[in-house]
Amino acid sequence: MDSIVEFFIEWGYIGLFLSALLAGSIVPFSSELVLTVLVQMGADPTVCLISASVGNTVGGLVCYYLGYLGNMQWIERWLKIDHQKMERVDGFVRKYGAWMGVFGVLPWVGEVIIVLLGLMRANVYITTATMFVGKFVRYLLMLLALQGVNSLF
């Protein structure tokens, strides 16, 4: 895993974009680590914020289109998503629709929410916009926390 993280760090902003894309899809990966190291190495935090947010949103769109192309049984079997988790999240997603994209950043259930939005054929433009807002705010808060920690030392 360390060599993969080092690879993304060596590629700078493009590596951050790619790591965020992976993290936003169904691949378990931590783009936050790449973001933190790049900022600590002197990379522009604003460019990092945009690169990570856009990459993570594109990764979320991969989840959306997996849902769009599939059906519930196929998604549960191939993506190894628990049926009970899908049922619990399904009620929330049906109630609020594409606006639920903002919760795509949540650990463990974020991908499920986005897959369900695709499965339900939720408006892709609203879903993309709300996903981007959620992911942007998450990375922004992380950068602000990092700045706060750096100011202590």
Side-chain angles (χ1 to χ4, degrees), residues 20-71:
L21 189 149
L22 284 177
S25 69
I26 60 170
V27 178
F29 190 76
S30 175
S31 59
E32 291 83 1
L33 178 60
V34 176
L35 174 70
T36 301
V37 171
L38 285 175
V39 170
Q40 293 289 64
M41 290 174 58
D44 183 351
T46 303
V47 177
C48 286
L49 177 63
I50 292 167
S51 179
S53 300
V54 171
N56 209 260
T57 301
V58 172
L61 286 172
V62 169
C63 291
Y64 176 90
Y65 282 108
L66 284 173
Y68 190 87
L69 295 173
N71 63 46

Side-chain angles (χ1 to χ4, degrees), residues 14-130:
I14 293 170
L16 177 58
F17 173 87
L18 293 173
S19 71
L21 189 149
L22 284 177
S25 69
I26 60 170
V27 178
F29 190 76
S30 175
S31 59
E32 291 83 1
L33 178 60
V34 176
L35 174 70
T36 301
V37 171
L38 285 175
V39 170
Q40 293 289 64
M41 290 174 58
D44 183 351
T46 303
V47 177
C48 286
L49 177 63
I50 292 167
S51 179
S53 300
V54 171
N56 209 260
T57 301
V58 172
L61 286 172
V62 169
C63 291
Y64 176 90
Y65 282 108
L66 284 173
Y68 190 87
L69 295 173
N71 63 46
M72 192 71 81
Q73 293 78 24
W74 177 82
I75 290 167
E76 290 171 2
R77 187 173 87 225
W78 291 102
L79 299 182
K80 309 266 190 258
I81 297 174
D82 183 52
H83 178 73
Q84 292 173 336
K85 188 185 290 185
M86 288 283 279
E87 283 183 352
R88 276 184 297 201
V89 175
D90 184 57
F92 291 110
V93 171
R94 289 196 184 280
K95 184 175 181 181
Y96 298 106
W99 296 100
M100 288 295 293
V102 76
F103 296 108
V105 301
L106 295 175
W108 302 296
V109 296
E111 287 84 9
V112 175
I113 291 170
I114 302 303
V115 167
L116 285 171
L117 287 171
L119 188 64
M120 293 173 18
R121 311 295 196 267
N123 183 304
V124 69
Y125 301 110
I126 296 172
T127 300
T128 303
T130 57

Side-chain angles (χ1 to χ4, degrees), residues 32 35-36 38-40 43-50 52 136-150:
E32 291 83 1
L35 174 70
T36 301
L38 285 175
V39 170
Q40 293 289 64
D44 183 351
T46 303
V47 177
C48 286
L49 177 63
I50 292 167
F136 182 88
V137 168
R138 179 188 69 189
Y139 285 119
L140 178 63
L141 291 174
M142 200 188 98
L143 284 173
L144 291 172
L146 180 62
Q147 183 181 18
V149 168
N150 285 342

